[in-house]
Amino acid sequence: MTNTPVALTLNAGSSSLKFGLFSIGATPVAMAVGLVDSIGRTPTLKASFGAGMPPLGRDLTPAEASDHKSALATALALLRQHFPDAQVAVVGHRVVHGGPSYDGPMRLTPQVMAELRRLSPFAPIHQPHNLAGIDAAVAAFPDAIQVACFDTAFHRSHPWVNDTFALPRDYYDKGVRRYGFHGLSYDYISGELNRIAPLIHAGRVIVAHLGNGASMCAMLGGRSVASTMGFTALDGLPMGTRTGQIDPGVIFYLVQQEGMTIDEVRDLFYTRSGLLGLSGLSNDMRALEAAGSTQANEAIDYFVFRIRRELGGLAAALGGLDALVFCGGIGENSRLIRERVCEGMGWIGLDLDRARNAAGDTVISTDMSRARVMVIPTNEELVIARAAKRVVDADSACAAGRPNVRNT
């Protein structure tokens, strides 16, 4: 393909960078998708391509992915090597925090960027990486449209009781509220359910996005009504290196009795806790399942326990349950975690079919299960590409002088 406009998608996680290159014809089609993983530790690069090209996978040198900026440079070099004539017309960025105002994709302007920088303390291990990716993309593609897609936007449909804390109301007005995250993933799952199981989509669904970052979302008619994450991407389930839910009094104790600074507490909660802290071994579920040590097993036990506890709470928020959907790296690949989450949950309507679960089928519940259990691989990059295309289409329509086109 020569001189064909394409969309580039960038999705920076706490220790990873997902990227994609999409054609932007009638519907976005992936030309390449890839992942730089374990940034700053033992980085690796994986990528797959269309048109029968073989996938690529290799270890990276520390210099190639010492941080998110160098990881992006490595990803862009790979894409330029394989698609030297592709013209990037639009870059879609996953941005973790959009605050209370942004409830959909936004074309990036200096004013929007200033607001997103202001929100960095709300997502300290994600937002700076997202914004650094935007800055690097602007430098690399100065003529391209830059679009932000927010993880918080999907949850702006929360009712007030699931959006607030029991603080004086002026804090809510200042933005101290439950935002919810992983919204791009939930957006994709909602759309897929509407496509493959519209009756389930119309009902009461809990989606468990389980990975190095983990959360759960209760959906009613495909819209978010409750999430396990709150003000930051720290709350709720334990994660690879993050604590998940914790008594705020622990912070007071660590500062007052242990003499820790706020920065030290933040580092502890975000980077040294979760599965890594509990196991003393790894933040990778695959390593913990293989280890078989007491501490590794206990870390898994705690992870499963918290998922099951949140599952019951979210089902109560929905008034029942029609389906549980697993997605994310752990949710899609760990049959052990799926089995243990569903074990003994017949009271909530879940009856797992172990053979289907072991085979990784889309539906892994028995035919007699009152609530369906499903595994649907998520695709945040496609959600970003679709949003980027809508902005490009809106710009083209405005340039052509067509009326009644909303500028996203």
Side-chain angles (χ1 to χ4, degrees), residues 220-272:
L220 189 62
R223 292 168 61 85
S224 175
V225 298
S227 171
T228 58
M229 280 184 167
F231 178 61
T232 68
L234 187 65
D235 199 7
L237 301 178
M239 293 164 252
T241 62
R242 285 171 263 170
T243 60
Q245 185 274 331
I246 193 166
D247 182 345
V250 174
I251 301 173
F252 307 149
Y253 171 82
L254 294 175
V255 171
Q256 295 172 344
Q257 303 300 320
E258 297 289 325
M260 295 178 69
T261 67
I262 290 298
D263 286 343
E264 288 171 336
V265 173
R266 183 172 66 180
D267 178 67
L268 172 65
F269 283 10
Y270 274 103
T271 68
R272 297 192 287 121

Short mmCIF file of all heavy atoms in Angstrom, two decimals, residues 220-272:
data_model
loop_
_atom_site.label_atom_id
_atom_site.label_comp_id
_atom_site.label_asym_id
_atom_site.label_seq_id
_atom_site.Cartn_x
_atom_site.Cartn_y
_atom_site.Cartn_z
N LEU A 220 -25.65 -2.35 32.63
CA LEU A 220 -27.08 -2.55 32.43
C LEU A 220 -27.44 -2.00 31.06
O LEU A 220 -27.25 -0.81 30.81
CB LEU A 220 -27.88 -1.84 33.53
CG LEU A 220 -29.38 -2.13 33.59
CD1 LEU A 220 -29.64 -3.60 33.87
CD2 LEU A 220 -30.03 -1.27 34.67
N GLY A 221 -27.88 -2.87 30.16
CA GLY A 221 -28.14 -2.43 28.80
C GLY A 221 -26.92 -1.90 28.09
O GLY A 221 -27.01 -0.99 27.26
N GLY A 222 -25.74 -2.45 28.42
CA GLY A 222 -24.50 -2.04 27.77
C GLY A 222 -23.86 -0.78 28.33
O GLY A 222 -22.82 -0.35 27.84
N ARG A 223 -24.46 -0.19 29.37
CA ARG A 223 -23.93 1.04 29.97
C ARG A 223 -23.42 0.78 31.38
O ARG A 223 -24.03 0.02 32.14
CB ARG A 223 -25.01 2.13 30.01
CG ARG A 223 -25.41 2.64 28.62
CD ARG A 223 -26.67 3.48 28.68
NE ARG A 223 -26.49 4.68 29.53
CZ ARG A 223 -25.98 5.82 29.11
NH1 ARG A 223 -25.57 5.94 27.85
NH2 ARG A 223 -25.87 6.86 29.91
N SER A 224 -22.32 1.43 31.73
CA SER A 224 -21.73 1.24 33.05
C SER A 224 -22.60 1.86 34.14
O SER A 224 -23.00 3.02 34.04
CB SER A 224 -20.34 1.87 33.09
OG SER A 224 -19.79 1.81 34.39
N VAL A 225 -22.89 1.07 35.18
CA VAL A 225 -23.61 1.61 36.33
C VAL A 225 -22.78 1.53 37.61
O VAL A 225 -23.12 2.19 38.61
CB VAL A 225 -24.97 0.89 36.53
CG1 VAL A 225 -25.87 1.09 35.34
CG2 VAL A 225 -24.78 -0.60 36.81
N ALA A 226 -21.70 0.75 37.60
CA ALA A 226 -20.84 0.66 38.78
C ALA A 226 -19.50 0.06 38.36
O ALA A 226 -19.44 -0.74 37.43
CB ALA A 226 -21.47 -0.18 39.88
N SER A 227 -18.44 0.45 39.06
CA SER A 227 -17.11 -0.06 38.78
C SER A 227 -16.36 -0.27 40.09
O SER A 227 -16.64 0.39 41.09
CB SER A 227 -16.34 0.93 37.89
OG SER A 227 -14.97 0.56 37.78
N THR A 228 -15.40 -1.20 40.08
CA THR A 228 -14.62 -1.44 41.29
C THR A 228 -13.56 -0.37 41.51
O THR A 228 -13.08 -0.20 42.62
CB THR A 228 -13.93 -2.81 41.23
OG1 THR A 228 -13.09 -2.87 40.06
CG2 THR A 228 -14.96 -3.92 41.16
N MET A 229 -13.15 0.33 40.44
CA MET A 229 -12.16 1.39 40.59
C MET A 229 -12.85 2.71 40.93
O MET A 229 -14.02 2.91 40.59
CB MET A 229 -11.32 1.55 39.32
CG MET A 229 -10.22 0.52 39.19
SD MET A 229 -9.18 0.81 37.74
CE MET A 229 -7.80 -0.27 38.11
N GLY A 230 -12.12 3.61 41.57
CA GLY A 230 -12.74 4.83 42.04
C GLY A 230 -12.06 6.09 41.55
O GLY A 230 -12.03 6.38 40.36
N PHE A 231 -11.52 6.88 42.47
CA PHE A 231 -10.91 8.16 42.16
C PHE A 231 -9.66 8.00 41.32
O PHE A 231 -9.36 8.82 40.44
CB PHE A 231 -10.59 8.87 43.48
CG PHE A 231 -9.91 10.20 43.35
CD1 PHE A 231 -10.51 11.25 42.69
CD2 PHE A 231 -8.66 10.41 43.91
CE1 PHE A 231 -9.90 12.49 42.59
CE2 PHE A 231 -8.03 11.64 43.82
CZ PHE A 231 -8.64 12.68 43.16
N THR A 232 -8.91 6.95 41.57
CA THR A 232 -7.69 6.65 40.81
C THR A 232 -7.75 5.20 40.35
O THR A 232 -8.65 4.44 40.72
CB THR A 232 -6.42 6.83 41.67
OG1 THR A 232 -6.40 5.82 42.69
CG2 THR A 232 -6.40 8.21 42.32
N ALA A 233 -6.76 4.81 39.56
CA ALA A 233 -6.67 3.42 39.09
C ALA A 233 -5.98 2.54 40.12
O ALA A 233 -5.35 1.53 39.78
CB ALA A 233 -5.90 3.38 37.77
N LEU A 234 -6.14 2.88 41.38
CA LEU A 234 -5.53 2.13 42.48
C LEU A 234 -6.55 1.31 43.25
O LEU A 234 -6.21 0.33 43.90
CB LEU A 234 -4.84 3.12 43.44
CG LEU A 234 -4.00 2.58 44.58
CD1 LEU A 234 -2.79 1.83 44.04
CD2 LEU A 234 -3.54 3.72 45.48
N ASP A 235 -7.82 1.68 43.17
CA ASP A 235 -8.86 1.11 44.01
C ASP A 235 -9.35 -0.23 43.47
O ASP A 235 -9.08 -0.61 42.34
CB ASP A 235 -10.04 2.10 44.09
CG ASP A 235 -10.95 1.84 45.27
OD1 ASP A 235 -10.62 0.99 46.12
OD2 ASP A 235 -11.99 2.50 45.35
N GLY A 236 -10.09 -0.95 44.32
CA GLY A 236 -10.78 -2.15 43.88
C GLY A 236 -9.95 -3.40 44.01
O GLY A 236 -9.46 -3.74 45.10
N LEU A 237 -9.81 -4.15 42.92
CA LEU A 237 -9.12 -5.43 42.93
C LEU A 237 -7.62 -5.25 43.13
O LEU A 237 -7.04 -4.26 42.67
CB LEU A 237 -9.33 -6.16 41.59
CG LEU A 237 -10.77 -6.47 41.18
CD1 LEU A 237 -10.76 -7.15 39.81
CD2 LEU A 237 -11.47 -7.34 42.20
N PRO A 238 -6.95 -6.23 43.77
CA PRO A 238 -5.48 -6.22 43.76
C PRO A 238 -5.00 -6.41 42.33
O PRO A 238 -5.65 -7.09 41.53
CB PRO A 238 -5.12 -7.41 44.64
CG PRO A 238 -6.29 -8.33 44.55
CD PRO A 238 -7.49 -7.44 44.42
N MET A 239 -3.87 -5.82 42.01
CA MET A 239 -3.35 -5.88 40.64
C MET A 239 -1.92 -6.38 40.64
O MET A 239 -1.43 -6.88 41.65
CB MET A 239 -3.48 -4.50 39.99
CG MET A 239 -4.93 -4.09 39.78
SD MET A 239 -5.17 -2.33 39.46
CE MET A 239 -5.92 -1.80 41.00
N GLY A 240 -1.25 -6.27 39.52
CA GLY A 240 0.11 -6.79 39.44
C GLY A 240 1.02 -6.22 40.51
O GLY A 240 1.72 -6.94 41.22
N THR A 241 1.01 -4.87 40.61
CA THR A 241 1.86 -4.20 41.60
C THR A 241 1.09 -3.22 42.47
O THR A 241 1.68 -2.56 43.31
CB THR A 241 3.01 -3.44 40.90
OG1 THR A 241 2.46 -2.41 40.05
CG2 THR A 241 3.86 -4.37 40.06
N ARG A 242 -0.22 -3.09 42.26
CA ARG A 242 -1.04 -2.13 42.99
C ARG A 242 -1.88 -2.82 44.07
O ARG A 242 -2.33 -3.95 43.89
CB ARG A 242 -1.95 -1.36 42.03
CG ARG A 242 -1.23 -0.31 41.21
CD ARG A 242 -2.14 0.27 40.14
NE ARG A 242 -1.91 -0.37 38.84
CZ ARG A 242 -2.68 -0.20 37.78
NH1 ARG A 242 -3.76 0.57 37.85
NH2 ARG A 242 -2.40 -0.80 36.64
N THR A 243 -2.14 -2.10 45.14
CA THR A 243 -2.80 -2.68 46.30
C THR A 243 -4.25 -3.07 46.04
O THR A 243 -4.75 -4.05 46.58
CB THR A 243 -2.83 -1.69 47.47
OG1 THR A 243 -3.54 -0.50 47.06
CG2 THR A 243 -1.45 -1.32 47.93
N GLY A 244 -4.95 -2.30 45.21
CA GLY A 244 -6.40 -2.40 45.21
C GLY A 244 -6.95 -1.76 46.48
O GLY A 244 -6.29 -0.94 47.13
N GLN A 245 -8.17 -2.14 46.84
CA GLN A 245 -8.84 -1.54 47.99
C GLN A 245 -7.99 -1.65 49.25
O GLN A 245 -7.42 -2.69 49.55
CB GLN A 245 -10.19 -2.23 48.21
CG GLN A 245 -11.05 -1.61 49.31
CD GLN A 245 -10.72 -2.17 50.69
OE1 GLN A 245 -10.29 -3.31 50.83
NE2 GLN A 245 -10.90 -1.34 51.71
N ILE A 246 -7.91 -0.55 49.99
CA ILE A 246 -7.16 -0.53 51.24
C ILE A 246 -7.75 0.52 52.17
O ILE A 246 -8.26 1.55 51.71
CB ILE A 246 -5.65 -0.25 50.99
CG1 ILE A 246 -4.82 -0.56 52.23
CG2 ILE A 246 -5.42 1.17 50.50
CD1 ILE A 246 -3.33 -0.64 51.95
N ASP A 247 -7.73 0.24 53.44
CA ASP A 247 -8.22 1.19 54.44
C ASP A 247 -7.36 2.45 54.38
O ASP A 247 -6.13 2.37 54.52
CB ASP A 247 -8.12 0.53 55.82
CG ASP A 247 -8.65 1.39 56.96
OD1 ASP A 247 -8.83 2.61 56.77
OD2 ASP A 247 -8.86 0.84 58.05
N PRO A 248 -7.96 3.64 54.19
CA PRO A 248 -7.16 4.87 54.16
C PRO A 248 -6.35 5.09 55.43
O PRO A 248 -5.32 5.78 55.41
CB PRO A 248 -8.21 5.98 53.97
CG PRO A 248 -9.38 5.30 53.36
CD PRO A 248 -9.39 3.91 53.92
N GLY A 249 -6.80 4.48 56.54
CA GLY A 249 -6.05 4.61 57.79
C GLY A 249 -4.66 4.03 57.71
O GLY A 249 -3.77 4.42 58.49
N VAL A 250 -4.44 3.09 56.78
CA VAL A 250 -3.10 2.55 56.59
C VAL A 250 -2.13 3.65 56.16
O VAL A 250 -0.96 3.66 56.58
CB VAL A 250 -3.12 1.42 55.54
CG1 VAL A 250 -1.70 0.94 55.22
CG2 VAL A 250 -3.97 0.24 56.02
N ILE A 251 -2.61 4.60 55.37
CA ILE A 251 -1.76 5.71 54.94
C ILE A 251 -1.34 6.54 56.15
O ILE A 251 -0.16 6.90 56.30
CB ILE A 251 -2.50 6.60 53.91
CG1 ILE A 251 -2.89 5.77 52.69
CG2 ILE A 251 -1.64 7.79 53.50
CD1 ILE A 251 -3.77 6.50 51.70
N PHE A 252 -2.31 6.85 57.03
CA PHE A 252 -1.98 7.63 58.23
C PHE A 252 -0.93 6.90 59.06
O PHE A 252 0.02 7.51 59.56
CB PHE A 252 -3.23 7.85 59.09
CG PHE A 252 -4.40 8.45 58.35
CD1 PHE A 252 -5.70 8.15 58.72
CD2 PHE A 252 -4.20 9.32 57.28
CE1 PHE A 252 -6.78 8.70 58.04
CE2 PHE A 252 -5.26 9.87 56.61
CZ PHE A 252 -6.55 9.56 56.98
N TYR A 253 -1.11 5.58 59.20
CA TYR A 253 -0.16 4.80 59.99
C TYR A 253 1.23 4.83 59.38
O TYR A 253 2.23 5.05 60.09
CB TYR A 253 -0.65 3.35 60.11
CG TYR A 253 0.38 2.43 60.72
CD1 TYR A 253 0.53 2.35 62.11
CD2 TYR A 253 1.23 1.67 59.92
CE1 TYR A 253 1.50 1.53 62.67
CE2 TYR A 253 2.19 0.84 60.47
CZ TYR A 253 2.33 0.78 61.85
OH TYR A 253 3.29 -0.04 62.40
N LEU A 254 1.32 4.62 58.08
CA LEU A 254 2.63 4.57 57.43
C LEU A 254 3.36 5.90 57.53
O LEU A 254 4.59 5.94 57.70
CB LEU A 254 2.47 4.17 55.96
CG LEU A 254 1.96 2.75 55.70
CD1 LEU A 254 1.72 2.53 54.21
CD2 LEU A 254 2.96 1.71 56.23
N VAL A 255 2.60 7.00 57.45
CA VAL A 255 3.22 8.33 57.52
C VAL A 255 3.59 8.67 58.96
O VAL A 255 4.71 9.13 59.24
CB VAL A 255 2.27 9.39 56.93
CG1 VAL A 255 2.79 10.80 57.20
CG2 VAL A 255 2.08 9.18 55.43
N GLN A 256 2.66 8.44 59.89
CA GLN A 256 2.86 8.87 61.26
C GLN A 256 3.74 7.92 62.07
O GLN A 256 4.55 8.38 62.89
CB GLN A 256 1.51 9.03 61.95
CG GLN A 256 0.65 10.14 61.36
CD GLN A 256 -0.76 10.15 61.92
OE1 GLN A 256 -1.22 9.18 62.52
NE2 GLN A 256 -1.47 11.25 61.71
N GLN A 257 3.61 6.62 61.84
CA GLN A 257 4.34 5.65 62.66
C GLN A 257 5.58 5.09 61.98
O GLN A 257 6.56 4.79 62.65
CB GLN A 257 3.40 4.49 63.06
CG GLN A 257 2.15 4.93 63.79
CD GLN A 257 2.45 5.67 65.08
OE1 GLN A 257 3.36 5.30 65.82
NE2 GLN A 257 1.69 6.74 65.36
N GLU A 258 5.52 4.93 60.68
CA GLU A 258 6.67 4.38 59.96
C GLU A 258 7.57 5.47 59.40
O GLU A 258 8.65 5.18 58.88
CB GLU A 258 6.19 3.47 58.81
CG GLU A 258 5.42 2.24 59.26
CD GLU A 258 6.32 1.22 59.93
OE1 GLU A 258 7.48 1.10 59.51
OE2 GLU A 258 5.86 0.54 60.86
N GLY A 259 7.11 6.72 59.47
CA GLY A 259 7.92 7.84 59.00
C GLY A 259 8.06 7.92 57.49
O GLY A 259 9.01 8.57 56.99
N MET A 260 7.16 7.32 56.75
CA MET A 260 7.24 7.36 55.29
C MET A 260 6.71 8.68 54.76
O MET A 260 5.81 9.28 55.34
CB MET A 260 6.45 6.19 54.69
CG MET A 260 7.01 4.83 55.03
SD MET A 260 6.01 3.45 54.36
CE MET A 260 6.33 3.64 52.60
N THR A 261 7.29 9.13 53.66
CA THR A 261 6.77 10.31 52.99
C THR A 261 5.59 9.90 52.11
O THR A 261 5.40 8.72 51.80
CB THR A 261 7.84 10.97 52.11
OG1 THR A 261 8.16 10.08 51.03
CG2 THR A 261 9.10 11.28 52.93
N ILE A 262 4.82 10.89 51.67
CA ILE A 262 3.70 10.59 50.78
C ILE A 262 4.20 9.96 49.48
O ILE A 262 3.58 9.03 48.94
CB ILE A 262 2.88 11.87 50.49
CG1 ILE A 262 2.13 12.31 51.75
CG2 ILE A 262 1.90 11.64 49.35
CD1 ILE A 262 1.11 11.31 52.26
N ASP A 263 5.32 10.44 48.96
CA ASP A 263 5.87 9.85 47.74
C ASP A 263 6.26 8.39 47.97
O ASP A 263 6.07 7.54 47.07
CB ASP A 263 7.08 10.64 47.27
CG ASP A 263 6.71 11.97 46.63
OD1 ASP A 263 5.52 12.13 46.26
OD2 ASP A 263 7.59 12.83 46.50
N GLU A 264 6.79 8.08 49.12
CA GLU A 264 7.16 6.70 49.43
C GLU A 264 5.93 5.81 49.55
O GLU A 264 5.93 4.65 49.10
CB GLU A 264 7.99 6.65 50.72
CG GLU A 264 9.40 7.19 50.55
CD GLU A 264 10.14 7.33 51.88
OE1 GLU A 264 9.46 7.45 52.95
OE2 GLU A 264 11.38 7.34 51.86
N VAL A 265 4.87 6.34 50.15
CA VAL A 265 3.62 5.58 50.26
C VAL A 265 3.04 5.34 48.87
O VAL A 265 2.59 4.23 48.55
CB VAL A 265 2.60 6.31 51.15
CG1 VAL A 265 1.24 5.61 51.11
CG2 VAL A 265 3.11 6.40 52.59
N ARG A 266 3.05 6.36 48.04
CA ARG A 266 2.54 6.20 46.68
C ARG A 266 3.32 5.15 45.92
O ARG A 266 2.74 4.30 45.24
CB ARG A 266 2.58 7.54 45.94
CG ARG A 266 1.98 7.46 44.54
CD ARG A 266 1.85 8.82 43.89
NE ARG A 266 3.15 9.43 43.61
CZ ARG A 266 3.32 10.62 43.04
NH1 ARG A 266 2.26 11.35 42.71
NH2 ARG A 266 4.53 11.10 42.81
N ASP A 267 4.64 5.17 46.03
CA ASP A 267 5.46 4.17 45.37
C ASP A 267 5.14 2.77 45.89
O ASP A 267 5.04 1.81 45.11
CB ASP A 267 6.94 4.48 45.58
CG ASP A 267 7.86 3.44 44.95
OD1 ASP A 267 7.88 3.36 43.71
OD2 ASP A 267 8.53 2.71 45.70
N LEU A 268 4.95 2.64 47.20
CA LEU A 268 4.60 1.36 47.79
C LEU A 268 3.29 0.83 47.24
O LEU A 268 3.18 -0.33 46.82
CB LEU A 268 4.51 1.50 49.31
CG LEU A 268 3.95 0.29 50.08
CD1 LEU A 268 4.90 -0.90 49.96
CD2 LEU A 268 3.72 0.65 51.55
N PHE A 269 2.28 1.68 47.22
CA PHE A 269 0.94 1.26 46.81
C PHE A 269 0.85 0.96 45.32
O PHE A 269 0.11 0.07 44.91
CB PHE A 269 -0.08 2.34 47.17
CG PHE A 269 -0.46 2.39 48.63
CD1 PHE A 269 0.24 1.66 49.58
CD2 PHE A 269 -1.51 3.17 49.05
CE1 PHE A 269 -0.10 1.70 50.92
CE2 PHE A 269 -1.87 3.22 50.39
CZ PHE A 269 -1.16 2.50 51.33
N TYR A 270 1.59 1.72 44.51
CA TYR A 270 1.47 1.57 43.06
C TYR A 270 2.44 0.56 42.47
O TYR A 270 2.10 -0.11 41.48
CB TYR A 270 1.70 2.92 42.36
CG TYR A 270 0.47 3.79 42.24
CD1 TYR A 270 0.29 4.88 43.09
CD2 TYR A 270 -0.50 3.53 41.29
CE1 TYR A 270 -0.83 5.69 42.98
CE2 TYR A 270 -1.62 4.34 41.17
CZ TYR A 270 -1.78 5.42 42.01
OH TYR A 270 -2.89 6.21 41.91
N THR A 271 3.64 0.44 43.01
CA THR A 271 4.67 -0.33 42.31
C THR A 271 5.24 -1.52 43.09
O THR A 271 5.92 -2.35 42.49
CB THR A 271 5.86 0.58 41.93
OG1 THR A 271 6.55 1.02 43.12
CG2 THR A 271 5.38 1.80 41.15
N ARG A 272 4.94 -1.64 44.40
CA ARG A 272 5.56 -2.72 45.18
C ARG A 272 4.55 -3.59 45.90
O ARG A 272 4.92 -4.39 46.76
CB ARG A 272 6.58 -2.14 46.17
CG ARG A 272 7.74 -1.44 45.50
CD ARG A 272 8.86 -1.11 46.45
NE ARG A 272 8.54 -0.01 47.35
CZ ARG A 272 8.53 -0.08 48.66
NH1 ARG A 272 8.79 -1.23 49.26
NH2 ARG A 272 8.23 0.97 49.40
#
